[in-house]
Amino acid sequence: MILGIVAGTVVSTQSQVGIAGARFLLVEKCNHRAELRGEYLVALDPLGVAQGEMVMLSESTPARETPLTQGKPVDTLIVGIVDLIDQDEQVVYKK
Amino acid sequence: MILARVVGTVVASHKEPKMEGMRLLLLEKLDPITMNGKNDFVVSVDCVGAGTGEVVFYATGSSARCTKQTEGLPSDASVIAIVDAIEKDGAFTYRKSQ
């Protein structure tokens, strides 16, 4: 999985995704210290994530391994909200 | 999914027979904050009837084949949505009506 910070939302009324009420979030890629990298993705959000939260993103085929996204043309899915990351026994990120 | 702007179409009369009848769009990846193109282009099958100039996002890899039109096609990119608005920090960086 890769890490990202929720930057905002992407609204689309004309889509072929086939998921009723699908929530697309604008996510900026970041590293484990929440340092942003200026690269954005659109991710499907099944968890109701708030803006500014750090999330784990799953890309490609695994993104379809949930009841919501099975068989759907989704290649980027939020699979978790990060509470804490430690590195070498040092907390490097805390919600 | 990746945000892009439809900047044109691609015609390929001599192609994989399975791709027959598919509308091919020329997409330029874009930065959703500045809305500038990134000079990075892809060809993608159009599944939503997107017109030139419209902002879309597309799926790649195997997920590109999970739409009615692209099922079983040798295509790894499908435009799956036309974007109406992009919001960041409470402000719109893009609105289709503009």
Side-chain angles (χ1 to χ4, degrees):
Chain A
M1 272 76 71
I2 58 171
L3 294 169
I5 302 278
V6 174
T9 51
V10 176
V11 177
S12 169
T13 49
Q14 283 174 286
S15 95
Q16 273 284 324
V17 177
I19 298 174
R23 227 168 88 88
F24 297 111
L25 295 185
L26 184 69
V27 179
E28 184 172 5
K29 291 187 181 181
C30 70
N31 69 8
H32 54 301
R33 290 195 194 81
E35 288 154 0
L36 297 168
R37 290 166 41 193
E39 216 184 312
Y40 292 83
L41 287 170
V42 177
L44 184 73
D45 170 27
L47 304 175
V49 187
Q51 186 161 332
E53 293 200 277
M54 184 189 280
V55 291
M56 285 186 331
L57 295 166
S58 209
E59 292 186 291
S60 187
T61 309
R64 304 203 309 276
E65 295 290 343
T66 73
L68 182 71
T69 57
Q70 196 173 11
K72 301 294 189 315
V74 170
D75 68 2
T76 309
L77 177 70
I78 292 176
V79 292
I81 302 172
V82 177
D83 295 318
L84 182 140
I85 299 176
D86 65 66
Q87 179 187 7
D88 306 332
E89 278 138 36
Q90 286 274 330
V91 174
V92 292
Y93 171 78
K94 195 169 186 321
K95 193 172 168 179
Chain B
M1 287 68 76
I2 296 175
L3 285 160
R5 190 185 297 276
V6 180
V7 294
T9 54
V10 174
V11 176
S13 50
H14 189 66
K15 57 178 176 281
E16 181 56 47
K18 281 176 135 181
M19 298 285 278
E20 206 49 54
M22 286 299 116
R23 188 157 174 266
L24 302 173
L25 299 177
L26 182 66
L27 305 180
E28 181 178 14
K29 294 184 188 178
L30 66 80
D31 175 333
I33 307 312
T34 63
M35 294 307 288
N36 293 334
K38 292 174 149 182
N39 199 24
D40 184 355
F41 298 84
V42 290
V43 180
S44 175
V45 173
D46 175 19
C47 298
V48 286
T52 301
E54 288 193 300
V55 174
V56 296
F57 57 77
Y58 65 96
T60 57
S62 57
S63 303
R65 287 178 284 115
C66 291
T67 71
K68 288 188 292 301
Q69 295 93 327
T70 56
E71 200 178 344
L73 286 190
S75 160
D76 67 354
S78 298
V79 173
I80 57 167
I82 297 173
V83 173
D84 298 308
I86 300 174
E87 171 267 327
K88 180 175 192 288
D89 301 333
F92 285 114
T93 62
Y94 167 73
R95 287 193 69 170
K96 190 172 173 192
S97 50
Q98 266 166 343

